[in-house]
Amino acid sequence: MGHERTQPETCGNVICYRLDDSPPDGSIESCHDDDYNLKPVCRMQEDSSRTPSYTVTCEDYVHVVEFSPFSSGTPVSLLAYGGNQYVVVGTCLFQEEDMDIEGVEFNVLRAFHHELRVDALAWSPESRLDRIPTIRFCTAAADRKLRLLTSDLQDRHEVKVMEGHTGYINHLVFEPTEGKQIASVSDDHTCRVWDLDGNESTTLRLRSPGISVCWHPEEAFKLMVAEKKGTIRFYDLVTQQAILSLDCGQSPLMSADWCLTNTIKVGAVAGNDWLIWDITRSSYPQEKRPAHIDKARLFKWSRANQNLFATTGCPGKICSQLFIHHLGHPQPVTIGSATVGSGLSWHRTLPLCVIGSDRKLCFWMTEM
C-alpha cells in the first residue's frame, strides 16, 4: 500500500476542543472489493493543523463513516463507510499504534452492495476478527427501513430488513453489552427498540422528530433520546418512562451525544452553538458556545478522553468545517475542513476522528 504526503488544503477549517482545564430479498448483497475497484491510498501530513493528519482515498463520495466503538479482538480497528448503494468494511491501524506503520494502514475486508444510499450506520459489539470472524452492523436508508447485515467475510451473508418507521430514520445504535437489541429514532416522532429478528419490543412516543439515540454503556435498560425541538430525555426501558430530561433552550437540535466514559456529561449542537450538560447539576446547559457560522450539524464525544469532543458544520457548497474542542480551552484545539464532508466518528482508543468526503476519508489526530 502506498504512502504519500498530502499538500495543505486551504478550504475551510476543523476545530478541536478540550474540557479538562476547568433482507433476504437481496436488497443488500456482498461483493468482493474488486467489484468496486477499491484500492485505498494512504497519505500523511504532519505539519499543518488545517489539513488531515491522514487520508484514505475511496472510489465514491462517502456519506457516512463509523469506527466500531468495540474491540475487534485484534490490534486493528474496524471501520465502515458508505454512500450511494454501497458499504465498505475495513480495518485501520495507525502509526501511533504500530511503529512499523507510516501514517495509516487501511485494508478493505469486503464491500457490500446496498439498494439505496446509506444514511446512518451502527456497529454491533458482536463484530470481531479473532476466533471466527464476524461482521455485524445495521444501516438506515431513505425507504424508512433498517437493514441488519451479518457476514463471516466468506460465504455467509445475511440481511434482515426491519420495517415499522413511517418517517426518515435519523440515527440508530446497538445495545452495547450483548448487541441483541437496536434502537432507532425517526421523524415519525418515535424511538423504537428492535430485536435481531426485526420485532419491535418497545415504541417510545416522542413530542417531535427523534434526532439522536444513545445507550448506557453498562445499564442496558437506560436510553438517551434527543428530539429536534431541543429536549433530551433519558428513558427506563423496563417502565418505558422518562426518568430525566434536559433542555437546550433553543431549536432545532441537530445532534446529541452521551459521554460514555463519564455518563454525567451530555453534549449537543443546536443552531450555531455547542452545549454541554452535567446531568447531576441542572436540566440546562452548564456550558454553551458558538461554534460554526454556517450552523452546526454533528456533535461527538471522544472515546479516549472525556474532555475532548468534535463538532461539524452543515455541509456547505464546497467545504464542511470540523472543530475539535477540549473543555476548558476557549478556542478549538484543532481546525479542519473537508470537501462536502459528511459523518463524524472517533477512534476507540486514540484521540483521532474521521469524517467522510468526496472520494476520501479524512482523519485528524489531536492531543489528549
Side-chain angles (χ1 to χ4, degrees):
M1 182 163 292
H3 301 273
E4 319 170 12
R5 296 187 180 261
T6 52
Q7 294 302 311
E9 299 174 11
T10 55
C11 98
N13 301 48
V14 173
I15 304 175
C16 304
Y17 300 87
R18 271 194 167 178
L19 294 177
D20 59 359
D21 290 78
S22 81
D25 64 354
S27 55
I28 304 184
E29 57 193 30
S30 166
C31 57
H32 290 283
D33 44 307
D34 298 340
D35 299 334
Y36 269 83
N37 227 357
L38 293 162
K39 300 181 180 68
V41 177
C42 302
R43 301 193 176 95
M44 154 175 202
Q45 169 68 35
E46 288 175 348
D47 301 323
S48 170
S49 63
R50 292 182 175 269
T51 55
S53 307
Y54 316 112
T55 64
V56 171
T57 57
C58 310
E59 287 294 306
D60 203 349
Y61 169 72
V62 177
H63 190 62
V64 298
V65 58
E66 292 289 343
F67 277 114
S68 172
F70 310 106
S71 170
S72 70
T74 70
V76 300
S77 294
L78 287 164
L79 181 143
Y81 64 89
N84 190 30
Q85 299 187 313
Y86 77 93
V87 178
V88 171
V89 170
T91 62
C92 294
L93 196 61
F94 296 89
Q95 64 181 22
E96 288 80 5
E97 302 171 286
D98 187 330
M99 289 189 303
D100 295 332
I101 289 171
E102 182 186 1
V104 56
E105 183 177 280
F106 182 84
N107 290 305
V108 173
L109 295 177
R110 194 167 283 274
F112 300 93
H113 177 71
H114 193 280
E115 193 175 10
L116 299 164
R117 186 182 77 174
V118 180
D119 289 331
L121 184 147
W123 279 98
S124 165
E126 294 185 285
S127 292
R128 294 182 69 87
L129 297 176
D130 57 347
R131 303 190 298 272
I132 302 170
T134 300
I135 296 295
R136 176 172 281 167
F137 58 90
C138 190
T139 64
D143 61 357
R144 309 169 192 170
K145 297 175 185 176
L146 299 174
R147 291 174 172 84
L148 174 65
L149 188 139
T150 305
S151 172
D152 65 0
L153 298 176
Q154 295 183 32
D155 305 320
R156 176 176 161 253
H157 301 283
E158 297 173 3
V159 178
K160 183 70 184 178
V161 178
M162 305 182 180
E163 300 185 48
H165 278 298
T166 58
Y168 187 86
I169 300 167
N170 291 302
H171 194 218
L172 67 157
V173 66
F174 275 84
E175 189 280 311
T177 57
E178 296 183 0
K180 301 304 185 187
Q181 298 179 93
I182 298 164
S184 57
V185 287
S186 164
D187 284 352
D188 64 9
H189 295 210
T190 67
C191 171
R192 300 176 193 236
V193 179
W194 316 75
D195 65 22
L196 300 190
D197 292 321
N199 303 307
E200 273 184 56
S201 58
T202 302
T203 302
L204 302 172
R205 303 291 171 188
L206 311 178
R207 299 173 194 178
S208 64
I211 298 298
S212 299
V213 59
C214 303
W215 224 302
H216 191 282
E218 287 134 18
E219 299 176 35
F221 60 90
K222 283 188 181 174
L223 203 63
M224 185 199 89
V225 178
E227 297 188 30
K228 189 173 184 177
K229 74 170 189 176
T231 304
I232 300 171
R233 288 189 180 86
F234 297 83
Y235 288 91
D236 180 325
L237 290 177
V238 178
T239 63
Q240 300 188 21
Q241 298 296 314
I243 51 179
L244 180 70
S245 68
L246 307 176
D247 189 354
C248 276
Q250 63 193 86
S251 64
L253 183 154
M254 295 299 290
S255 173
D257 196 24
W258 202 350
C259 182
L260 299 183
T261 55
N262 182 353
T263 53
I264 69 168
K265 289 182 184 176
V266 171
V269 287
N272 301 63
D273 303 331
W274 58 258
L275 310 97
I276 305 286
W277 289 261
D278 175 338
I279 66 173
T280 65
R281 293 192 179 183
S282 172
S283 62
Y284 292 99
Q286 188 180 6
E287 193 162 356
K288 170 180 161 179
R289 291 201 188 152
H292 299 271
I293 298 171
D294 57 349
K295 293 198 185 311
R297 176 63 189 91
L298 293 171
F299 181 109
K300 290 288 176 70
W301 290 104
S302 166
R303 298 179 180 122
N305 184 333
Q306 63 171 294
N307 294 315
L308 202 61
F309 63 96
T311 60
T312 63
C314 288
K317 291 182 180 175
I318 301 174
C319 288
S320 305
Q321 277 189 331
L322 165 70
F323 294 169
I324 301 177
H325 314 266
H326 201 286
L327 280 177
H329 285 237
Q331 300 297 326
V333 296
T334 305
I335 299 174
S337 71
T339 307
V340 279
S342 190
L344 172 64
S345 185
W346 284 93
H347 190 275
R348 189 175 67 88
T349 58
L350 295 174
L352 174 143
C353 62
V354 60
I355 62 177
S357 182
D358 184 20
R359 298 177 184 272
K360 64 182 173 180
L361 302 174
C362 299
F363 300 88
W364 279 271
M365 181 73 71
T366 190
E367 296 297 319
M368 288 283 261

